[in-house]
Amino acid sequence: MTRRYKAQPSPLTALRMRIPARKALEPDMRKYFAICDQKIGFLPNVLAAYSFDPRKLRAFVDMYNDLMLEDSRLSKLEREMIAVVVSAANRCYYCLTAHGQAVRQMSGDPSLGELLVMNYRVARLTKRQRAMLDFAHKLTVAPAETGAADRRQLRRAGFSDRDVWDITAVAAFFNMTNRVATAVDMMPNEEYHALSR
Amino acid sequence: MTRRYKAQPSPLTALRMRIPARKALEPDMRKYFAICDQKIGFLPNVLAAYSFDPRKLRAFVDMYNDLMLEDSRLSKLEREMIAVVVSAANRCYYCLTAHGQAVRQMSGDPSLGELLVMNYRVARLTKRQRAMLDFAHKLTVAPAETGAADRRQLRRAGFSDRDVWDITAVAAFFNMTNRVATAVDMMPNEEYHALSR
Amino acid sequence: MTRRYKAQPSPLTALRMRIPARKALEPDMRKYFAICDQKIGFLPNVLAAYSFDPRKLRAFVDMYNDLMLEDSRLSKLEREMIAVVVSAANRCYYCLTAHGQAVRQMSGDPSLGELLVMNYRVARLTKRQRAMLDFAHKLTVAPAETGAADRRQLRRAGFSDRDVWDITAVAAFFNMTNRVATAVDMMPNEEYHALSR
Amino acid sequence: MTRRYKAQPSPLTALRMRIPARKALEPDMRKYFAICDQKIGFLPNVLAAYSFDPRKLRAFVDMYNDLMLEDSRLSKLEREMIAVVVSAANRCYYCLTAHGQAVRQMSGDPSLGELLVMNYRVARLTKRQRAMLDFAHKLTVAPAETGAADRRQLRRAGFSDRDVWDITAVAAFFNMTNRVATAVDMMPNEEYHALSR
Amino acid sequence: MTRRYKAQPSPLTALRMRIPARKALEPDMRKYFAICDQKIGFLPNVLAAYSFDPRKLRAFVDMYNDLMLEDSRLSKLEREMIAVVVSAANRCYYCLTAHGQAVRQMSGDPSLGELLVMNYRVARLTKRQRAMLDFAHKLTVAPAETGAADRRQLRRAGFSDRDVWDITAVAAFFNMTNRVATAVDMMPNEEYHALSR
Amino acid sequence: MTRRYKAQPSPLTALRMRIPARKALEPDMRKYFAICDQKIGFLPNVLAAYSFDPRKLRAFVDMYNDLMLEDSRLSKLEREMIAVVVSAANRCYYCLTAHGQAVRQMSGDPSLGELLVMNYRVARLTKRQRAMLDFAHKLTVAPAETGAADRRQLRRAGFSDRDVWDITAVAAFFNMTNRVATAVDMMPNEEYHALSR
């Protein structure tokens, strides 16, 4: 697996940042990377890119894992759907590739992943999903206009106040990572393209 | 100080989330809040708002402190200037209030804080500052169009590849927090308004 | 007071226009400037800037005073609130500084002035104020789409036909002055920043 | 002429405002209206609409006449061209009809009037005219972004600082009147359509 | 008529494409051009421009005639109204000139043609026409957001599914031709300007 | 193949239009559909959808085939690249699915198809391709602003006047079909998703 990582032929990003060898990582991060290798089959480039600075890597991993993997009334698939809809609005190549694949895999429906990448409005969704994605989309493209009326729409679709926080937090997080990935021209791992088709 | 926190008359956000008493916080966070009390004179509402969940609070604090306080070739004032310019583009009331105050204080120039809140293009800036803020602004309003040409502009203004990362990371972070604050209608502490005028 | 005016260290605008000495002004305008000195404590730079041409100065003053000070069912504070919301949409530094101060002073609520500068949607407003500001904002950013439905919203909030004219006229006027101030880079008097905090 | 005015079958605007009989106007305005009758062949509806309030009528007439008829290095045709380009950006039916006719008449080129109404970029213009209209258009659609670089473009095309003021003032004025006319649904006189074809 | 075509003094477009003499056209197209001469009084420049390639000319003519002249529950005037509203949104000089004239002629109401060119929202329309033009306009400026809710609005205004197709097809067609005409700077025949005033 | 067509389980579009059996098609169209079956492996839904009206089907097929398959100095892959970039700007699910697949297949580079769907600016392109796609994108999102300067960019990248026409015509065509497909909610054949990965 280390081999695959080292062999990465194209640069991770447009910035020349010295990426440490894996063995130079702190033990818990080395372990985390190994788990990625196992579970995903490769190390997502975003993690390699952030590893130039241990503190930034850890802050990113902690926030990501809390939002996407910890307890929430939003299912993991729903969180990935938000990730894709936000990334589509921002046209982030890295995040659309990685999280589009996650939606294809978790939903077992390849065309759902494509729909969310291309135009989520066209997808056949439940009322709950539609409300969730409409909120995430508006918060992305018109944050200054998102407010009480939009929260009401979420509540009408059955979401609690805590759910509103979680939808918000995931949508906001990808508004951050989309901008990091695009600004530094981060390239996704080639492996994503063929998976879960 | 705990008193001030408890006495917070208006709700922190539009969401009803149970905020724990300070003594219920984990020790390091309790200590961190106490430092805020001392240094700022009050606990920023964003920290109180995030404290409903210890993991989310810690993830937020770690990322914030790394970006805004740790080593970087960007000065702390420059990072605050980026925060304000991004928050102005997104019209985030909380962040403009809190970080506008930070710019007023750190720069010793109240009108600079106002200028960045209102229209940073009008401010008299160095070429370096202008390039930095133009990049942060474009990454905020047109992320899909930000790329190689924009990175070149930063390099022409003297920024290194690592600096490009840091400018990106700060601008991207406030694109996240602006959306969290606006989506949940987070209100800034009243104290900010009168400070550093 | 004349001293303060003469001492104005930074140029009023980016244009080199010969500004006459006060004593060269026509008597009624000299008197009007003196009243400004007394009431405001200084001469607003916009008046100094317009004084390069007596006819233009008079036309500006007449229209301004009619709209902002003459009889109307809109209170003077309400007219200032419209001024700030329009200027915020257009990001006009001069007008936000001057009229933001007016809102702080007239309302006795410094945070209201800040809210309207930053994002009026976040402010706690009466239904009447909200309708008035929504109309002014839409007329500013989407004039071609403002029409019968928007006038109906005003009427539902209790405004008469004459009120609709007055809201329109104030919002339209600041769409003019915002553009003059921004296009010539007019700088507001420094005194505004510290007032009514 | 008074007859034509009274016969106006459709309402001047969507607002019910009591318009006084001409003989009730103050003498100088009555005279001004009579001159309009003679020179134009009818009284422009905008003047009838403003006559509900003598002070507002006078303020409008004074500013209009100063900008459009008084001394300036901009020709009267150039000022009308700015009026049409601004009104096209704002899609103001009243102003496009009235000032489109003025361009057709003053230029002796009906297709020029049409071009400026439809898309000024397509017109064959001198470098001076192009620079002037590009500035007026940008100031209309993106006022917050109009600044030093745009003023430089005007200077490169041969305009003085005073000319910059005049271009700005005319463009800004129509940003006001466009919004008044659209917000109250002001209808232009039918006569304009057939003139100068 | 051939004479008028040959005499065309200004180039048809900004592209130097060899336009064949009429006698070199295939017989059916030569006949079609002769019918245009007779019916319209001149050959529309768009046909001359497309005649550089017989296959492209025929494809354009076939699609145009099917959409604008064949059976449909939309009247020919309604189709022309859609053409103008789409072309106004795209600010296409050629199509606004040619189809604005068609609306003036077919409706017998010169001001209707002008209204649709300038701002269709201001026109006094039937509920049916308003729904039709709102749909065409939205499909032009926000295609990604046009969907089920917009189709429902059409059905509520009395349109059948087939009508929805026809409205869509005409609006979509002018989104094509507007872009061809603008991209190659196609100039409309001068004759249009004076017709049907 | 007819079977597959008949078995189409989900409706082709949101409109209830009677689609004739294949044997009811005119002979040349029946033959054309059979060729599609053979070459593509299925009948693209757009053809089935248009077959409700023989004249409209023929007009669509003739124009499509002329633009995408006939002689041009643009390669077929280049035309498909334009199709995808235009469809991405308009977020057309049908066209992105069908033509994204075409780019994957013709280029032999699955990630190129994904890049153009997601954000063509990120793709590593030749100067020629970049100029071509920048023109097509601008013509899609800002047709009124596309003109002489943009044509110059194409010529600088080596394109002839005829090439400018061809780029324009393909980009304009997909601005039509994107709007037809989105407005009627046309669904692409499921087969596309798995092809050429």
Side-chain angles (χ1 to χ4, degrees), chain F residues 3-4 7 26 36 47-48 68 86 104 106-107 133 148 169 171 183:
Chain F
R3 186 181 45 83
R4 190 195 298 267
E26 293 171 50
C36 289
L47 295 175
M68 300 304 280
V86 168
R104 293 198 302 271
M106 289 184 182
S107 69
L133 297 181

Side-chain angles (χ1 to χ4, degrees), chain E residues 19-160:
Chain E
I19 305 295
R22 280 216 194 182
K23 62 185 177 193
L25 292 172
E26 293 171 51
D28 63 332
M29 282 296 132
R30 204 157 60 213
K31 192 168 155 192
Y32 179 68
F33 280 27
I35 294 173
C36 290
D37 289 343
Q38 277 190 312
K39 281 206 169 170
I40 309 177
F42 53 88
L43 182 74
N45 283 346
V46 64
L47 295 175
Y50 264 98
S51 69
F52 80 90
D53 180 300
R55 196 190 303 265
K56 294 183 193 306
L57 173 62
R58 191 180 307 277
F60 176 81
V61 166
D62 285 355
M63 191 175 278
Y64 181 89
N65 286 347
D66 172 64
L67 288 171
M68 300 303 280
L69 306 176
E70 286 298 322
D71 273 2
S72 165
R73 290 206 335 175
L74 304 181
S75 73
K76 287 177 191 169
L77 171 57
E78 286 172 333
R79 294 179 244 179
E80 292 289 347
M81 291 170 74
I82 294 172
V84 174
V85 165
V86 168
S87 304
N90 290 327
R91 301 192 188 272
C92 176
Y93 178 57
Y94 185 99
C95 301
L96 284 170
T97 301
H99 296 279
Q101 189 271 325
V103 169
R104 294 197 303 269
Q105 180 186 326
M106 289 184 182
S107 67
D109 179 357
S111 70
L112 179 65
E114 292 296 89
L115 271 160
L116 299 189
V117 165
M118 292 170 179
N119 191 347
Y120 84 95
R121 293 175 200 82
V122 180
R124 269 73 179 162
L125 300 169
T126 63
K127 196 185 155 184
R128 171 186 164 88
Q129 290 169 333
R130 166 95 32 209
M132 178 185 84
L133 296 181
D134 281 346
F135 188 90
H137 184 264
K138 184 170 178 189
L139 188 56
T140 298
V141 299
E145 296 163 31
T146 308
D150 305 288
R151 288 190 298 270
R152 260 195 305 276
Q153 287 299 106
L154 286 181
R155 290 200 189 96
R156 257 181 224 136
F159 291 104
S160 70

Side-chain angles (χ1 to χ4, degrees), chain C residues 54-64, chain D residues 59 62-63 66:
Chain C
R55 194 189 303 266
K56 294 182 193 306
L57 173 62
R58 190 179 307 278
F60 176 82
V61 166
D62 285 355
M63 191 175 278
Y64 181 89
Chain D
D62 285 354
M63 191 175 277
D66 172 63

Side-chain angles (χ1 to χ4, degrees), chain B residues 9-103:
Chain B
S10 67
L12 295 167
T13 74
L15 305 184
R16 287 147 304 178
M17 316 279 276
R18 195 186 317 217
I19 306 294
R22 278 215 193 185
K23 63 186 175 191
L25 293 172
E26 294 172 49
D28 63 333
M29 283 296 132
R30 206 159 57 213
K31 193 168 155 192
Y32 179 67
F33 280 26
I35 294 173
C36 289
D37 288 342
Q38 278 191 312
K39 279 207 170 168
I40 309 177
F42 53 87
L43 182 75
N45 283 346
V46 64
L47 295 175
Y50 264 99
S51 68
F52 79 90
D53 180 301
R55 196 190 303 267
K56 293 183 193 308
L57 173 62
R58 191 180 307 278
F60 176 82
V61 166
D62 285 355
M63 191 175 277
Y64 181 88
N65 287 346
D66 172 64
L67 288 172
M68 300 304 280
L69 305 176
E70 286 299 321
D71 273 2
S72 165
R73 291 207 334 175
L74 304 181
S75 73
K76 285 176 192 169
L77 171 58
E78 286 172 333
R79 293 179 246 178
E80 292 289 346
M81 291 169 74
I82 294 172
V84 175
V85 165
V86 168
S87 304
N90 290 328
R91 302 193 188 272
C92 176
Y93 177 57
Y94 186 100
C95 301
L96 284 170
T97 301
H99 296 279
Q101 189 271 326
V103 168

Side-chain angles (χ1 to χ4, degrees), chain D residues 64-100:
Chain D
Y64 181 89
N65 286 346
D66 172 63
L67 287 172
M68 300 305 279
L69 305 176
E70 286 298 322
D71 273 2
S72 165
R73 291 204 337 173
L74 305 181
S75 73
K76 286 175 191 171
L77 172 58
E78 286 172 333
R79 293 179 246 179
E80 292 289 347
M81 291 169 75
I82 293 172
V84 175
V85 165
V86 167
S87 304
N90 290 328
R91 301 194 189 273
C92 176
Y93 178 57
Y94 186 100
C95 300
L96 284 170
T97 300
H99 296 279

Side-chain angles (χ1 to χ4, degrees), chain A residues 38-59:
Chain A
Q38 277 190 311
K39 280 206 170 170
I40 309 177
F42 52 88
L43 182 74
N45 283 346
V46 65
L47 295 175
Y50 265 98
S51 68
F52 80 90
D53 180 301
R55 195 189 303 266
K56 293 181 194 308
L57 174 61
R58 190 179 308 277

